[in-house]
Amino acid sequence: MTRTALPRLGSTTVPRSALLNPRTPAETGIVHLGLGNFHRAHQAVHTAAALAHSDGPWGILGVANRSAGVADALRAQDHRYAVVEIAPTRTRVTVPAVHIGTLVADRQPDAVLDAIAAPATALLTLTVTEHGYTYSPRTHGLDLDHPGVQADLRGDAPPVTTIGRIVRGLQRRQRAHAAPITVLSCDNLVSNGAQTGRLVREFAHALPAAERDELAGWLDAAVAFPDSMVDRIVPATTDTYREAVAAHLGVRDAVPVPAEPFSMWVLEDRFAAGRPAWEHGGALFTDDVEPYELLKLRLLNGTHSLIAYLGALDGRDTVPASVARPYVAEAARHVLYEEYLPTLTVPAAVDADAYIAQLFERWANSALGHRTRQVGSDGSVKLRQRVPEPALFHLRAGRMPHHLALTVAAYLCCVAPPAGLTPGLHADAMRDPARVSLAGAAGRTSGTRSFVDAVLDGGLLGADLAGHPEFAARVAELVDVLTRHGVAAAVADAARAAEAA
Ligand code: CS2
């Protein structure tokens, strides 16, 4: 039977055996901003597993930001979708039954604020990506120059930024009944809970005095912002995964989510109004999330960026195809062991060797085919979470982190290629909000060194790294090597220099 002839996935057509949680929660306890694949393969799956263990009022209202595609498709499927777990040797298809509604924030902005204010909502969770936080690396705080932030502070139209939506929703909640609530960031940011809390307070602080004073004490008393570390590789959906759902479940799913088998979630147990029993759904609670965050943001995400940029420049479509190139794998090992690992304390509960061996296995999962263009997109906001602190750790000790410099050089070659370099279709497909400003910097400068200086002085990786011109010099050298001699030569250059030091 062709896929189109199959029944559509829905509450009556889903095979019972595929359901992660047999009973769909009846109440909306969680409002989630960011209905992308990551949320649907991570938090939703952990929540379904927790509910399979103990029921609770933890249905999720999923809020898409702008695009209606996923929300509309989910509604047509009674909010069911499949998670297609891809391991090299097997495929497992399951269905979490935790979403009980969807909204599209741009279409229904007021309904989003009402949902945040609803008495039954105890949790507001977020996966809005690194650049959804309207953070300014220049001020290390809320980007008050951002037109959306300015509009949301004026408040004469419904909010358009995430932080604006959160604060306006909390304001409505306080005025309605003031019940406590937890705001839980599930994005790849250092201290994501504390950062979100800071940005929310800065927004509240910038409001007119009467509104500011009304909100200030309540935010401190009634709103919790726990930290969390999230980890699961989740590529974009393709027809391959729709076919897998058809083959495994005998139904048609327009919006399945592919994911690797691995999933990790580490949270600080500081919730203002309860939470699902996520400890029974595979999550780990600890008082000290930061070591887990740094472990993951540096060893996994930082190395991932290097693999994606070198791989794309080398013509590779996917992460597994990239790490299959010996010189990309060599650079990855070097940056991970020599430049990231010394900057962090591995949590006592983690076996470093096993964790790292597993990372290389995860990246090599060729059945999953995570694309270099996906990991490489939004580098301007991602690298800031991954590169500057570790680079400063070495620079302050008088050592040049050649492979961190290579990461930045390869990034620049992908999204702001110097004259004479054709970075290829995978790099061309990388989206990045900084493409325009990087092109502007290229137009205003002549020569690689002055371009890299302009970019780093402009705050791409924060103010502190801009104070180390020797780093900019090394990035510029590696940009030139990548341009003239290619990826293998640049890796060899970085390795030789590291060896000589
Ligand atoms: C990746 C992450 O796209 C990226 O920048 O490094 O999305 C990574 O796959 C996840 O953080 C894994 O948990």
Side-chain angles (χ1 to χ4, degrees), residues 134-136 138-139 141-151 153 199 202-203 205-207:
T134 47
Y135 169 87
S136 159
R138 209 173 37 76
T139 61
L142 186 65
D143 187 355
L144 293 167
D145 295 329
H146 188 287
V149 172
Q150 292 179 344
L153 282 167
L199 296 169
E202 282 179 29
F203 185 101
H205 194 76
L207 287 168

Side-chain angles (χ1 to χ4, degrees), residues 242-277:
R242 296 187 182 96
E243 301 300 343
V245 180
H248 283 251
L249 304 186
V251 292
R252 197 160 33 94
D253 181 357
V255 284
V257 184
E260 62 173 340
F262 180 95
S263 188
M264 190 172 181
W265 198 9
V266 184
L267 305 98
E268 193 182 9
D269 203 357
R270 227 161 33 76
F271 288 75
R275 57 167 177 79

Side-chain angles (χ1 to χ4, degrees), residues 38 130 188 230-234 260 296 300-302 304-305 362 370 374-377 382 386:
F38 183 73
E130 292 87 340
N188 283 321
V230 293
D231 190 6
R232 190 169 207 188
I233 291 177
V234 182
E260 62 173 340
K296 195 264 169 170
L300 191 163
N301 296 117
H304 220 187
S305 293
R362 293 169 65 193
H370 200 193
Q374 183 177 355
V375 178
S377 281
K382 288 176 176 174
R386 308 176 183 186

Side-chain angles (χ1 to χ4, degrees), residues 160-317:
V160 293
T161 67
T162 298
I163 299 296
R165 283 185 186 128
I166 296 174
V167 177
R168 294 300 183 187
L170 292 177
Q171 209 171 21
R172 193 169 287 191
R173 184 177 184 90
Q174 184 196 9
R175 289 176 181 163
H177 51 83
I181 184 169
T182 302
V183 179
L184 177 66
S185 164
C186 300
D187 281 300
N188 283 321
L189 307 174
V190 182
S191 305
N192 56 8
Q195 277 227 46
T196 307
R198 214 166 26 244
L199 296 169
V200 161
R201 286 193 179 81
E202 282 179 29
F203 185 101
H205 194 76
L207 287 168
E211 287 182 83
R212 178 190 68 204
D213 296 345
E214 183 188 5
L215 204 51
W218 184 73
L219 281 181
D220 289 337
V223 188
F225 296 92
D227 276 334
S228 74
M229 178 277 248
V230 293
D231 190 6
R232 190 169 207 188
I233 291 177
V234 182
T237 301
T238 64
D239 270 340
T240 308
Y241 305 109
R242 296 187 182 96
E243 301 300 343
V245 180
H248 283 251
L249 304 186
V251 292
R252 197 160 33 94
D253 181 357
V255 284
V257 184
E260 62 173 340
F262 180 95
S263 188
M264 190 172 181
W265 198 9
V266 184
L267 305 98
E268 193 182 9
D269 203 357
R270 227 161 33 76
F271 288 75
R275 57 167 177 79
W278 281 319
E279 64 277 27
H280 298 301
L284 177 72
F285 285 90
T286 169
D287 292 338
D288 200 4
V289 178
E290 191 180 87
Y292 287 94
E293 286 177 339
L294 297 184
L295 180 82
K296 195 264 169 170
L297 279 167
R298 294 181 185 173
L299 300 193
L300 191 163
N301 296 117
T303 309
H304 220 187
S305 293
L306 179 61
I307 295 169
Y309 295 125
L310 291 180
L313 292 173
D314 204 41
R316 307 295 125 194
D317 184 16

Side-chain angles (χ1 to χ4, degrees), residues 18-226:
L19 281 174
L20 283 174
N21 54 314
R23 278 175 308 280
T24 308
E27 260 183 287
T28 303
I30 304 175
V31 172
H32 181 78
L33 305 187
L35 197 50
N37 280 10
F38 183 73
H39 157 72
R40 293 192 293 130
H42 188 266
Q43 180 193 339
V45 168
H46 286 283
T47 303
L51 289 174
H53 181 274
S54 38
D55 276 335
W58 299 112
I60 301 177
L61 173 70
V63 182
N65 188 24
R66 204 163 292 131
S67 126
V70 171
D72 289 347
L74 283 177
R75 258 200 306 281
Q77 298 182 178
D78 307 322
H79 301 107
R80 301 289 173 273
Y81 62 92
V83 177
V84 184
E85 234 175 68
I86 312 277
T89 51
R90 65 175 175 83
T91 299
R92 180 173 169 248
V93 183
T94 57
V95 176
V98 288
H99 293 91
I100 55 178
T102 52
L103 292 173
V104 179
D106 276 3
R107 270 196 324 211
Q108 300 141 293
D110 209 53
V112 175
L113 305 189
D114 277 345
I116 297 173
T121 303
L123 268 167
L124 173 58
T125 56
L126 316 172
T127 49
V128 294
T129 78
E130 292 87 340
H131 81 108
Y133 286 78
T134 47
Y135 169 87
S136 159
R138 209 173 37 76
T139 61
H140 289 297
L142 186 65
D143 187 355
L144 293 167
D145 295 329
H146 188 287
V149 172
Q150 292 179 344
D152 290 357
L153 282 167
R154 281 196 305 278
D156 40 23
V160 293
T161 67
T162 298
I163 299 296
R165 283 185 186 128
I166 296 174
V167 177
R168 294 300 183 187
L170 292 177
Q171 209 171 21
R172 193 169 287 191
R173 184 177 184 90
Q174 184 196 9
R175 289 176 181 163
H177 51 83
I181 184 169
T182 302
V183 179
L184 177 66
S185 164
C186 300
D187 281 300
N188 283 321
L189 307 174
V190 182
S191 305
N192 56 8
Q195 277 227 46
T196 307
R198 214 166 26 244
L199 296 169
V200 161
R201 286 193 179 81
E202 282 179 29
F203 185 101
H205 194 76
L207 287 168
E211 287 182 83
R212 178 190 68 204
D213 296 345
E214 183 188 5
L215 204 51
W218 184 73
L219 281 181
D220 289 337
V223 188
F225 296 92

Side-chain angles (χ1 to χ4, degrees), residues 335-377:
V335 82
L336 189 154
Y337 280 105
E338 308 299 331
E339 298 183 15
Y340 283 121
L341 193 56
T343 69
L344 50 92
T345 308
V346 178
V350 174
D351 172 341
D353 290 337
Y355 181 85
I356 293 167
Q358 195 178 27
L359 284 181
F360 278 91
E361 279 166 28
R362 293 169 65 193
W363 291 323
N365 184 349
S366 55
L368 195 62
H370 200 193
R371 304 187 87 181
T372 47
R373 66 186 59 181
Q374 183 177 355
V375 178
S377 281

